[in-house]
Amino acid sequence: MKLMISACLLGYNCKYNGGNNRNEKVLQLAEGSTVIPVCPEVMGGLPTPRTPSEIRDGRVITKDGRDVDEAFRAGACKCLTIAEREKPDQIILQSRSPSCGVKQHYDGTFGGRLVSGPGVAAELLIRHGFAVTDVEDI
């Protein structure tokens, strides 16, 4: 089986705060599979650590008000290119992320409120027909 997985779930320190979201269930699922780690935000040129970002009015904005939408979309496109080349059986992405959130993301107010809908990379992958799973559904 071939899996594309948010790199933070595999223990890579690429999360906005410099940490990771290492997930033992994902690591167990990945055993014996070909694993393709991706971090759309880093792939889009953003540093680690970086200022937290959320989606506001369809654009990705940092907590201090900078528009980083172009970097997020560039990273999403790189993920799509990899997915089209590698043809993973399943893509597992980090919940609630402005990039990788599959079912929800934060509302752009930085008040901890969630709204329905995918993040930038998840949306692009779903729109192109890939099987995308929220890590919380593993």
Side-chain angles (χ1 to χ4, degrees), residues 60-126:
V60 185
I61 308 294
T62 64
K63 190 172 186 176
D64 59 8
R66 287 179 296 116
D67 186 318
V68 289
D69 194 73
E70 187 175 311
F72 272 72
R73 294 191 189 278
C77 287
K78 287 181 180 179
C79 284
L80 177 61
T81 297
I82 292 167
E84 289 175 333
R85 180 183 68 231
E86 298 294 329
K87 299 182 182 8
D89 299 296
Q90 185 177 20
I91 300 174
I92 303 168
L93 300 177
Q94 172 59 34
S95 305
R96 298 176 295 280
S97 159
S99 291
C100 295
V102 177
K103 299 186 281 189
Q104 296 177 308
H105 61 82
Y106 291 99
D107 72 354
T109 64
F110 297 91
R113 287 183 294 278
L114 292 166
V115 293
S116 293
V120 175
E123 179 181 31
L124 187 61
L125 292 163
I126 292 166

Side-chain angles (χ1 to χ4, degrees), residues 13-35:
N13 291 326
C14 56
K15 192 173 163 181
Y16 76 91
N17 64 5
N20 64 67
N21 294 312
R22 183 181 167 98
N23 186 295
E24 294 304 319
K25 285 183 182 178
V26 170
L27 291 171
Q28 288 173 359
L29 180 66
E31 284 181 24
S33 296
T34 300
V35 176

Side-chain angles (χ1 to χ4, degrees), residues 44-60:
L46 296 171
T48 302
R50 57 191 165 275
T51 306
S53 300
E54 294 184 3
I55 300 173
R56 180 186 314 148
D57 299 325
R59 296 197 59 83
V60 185

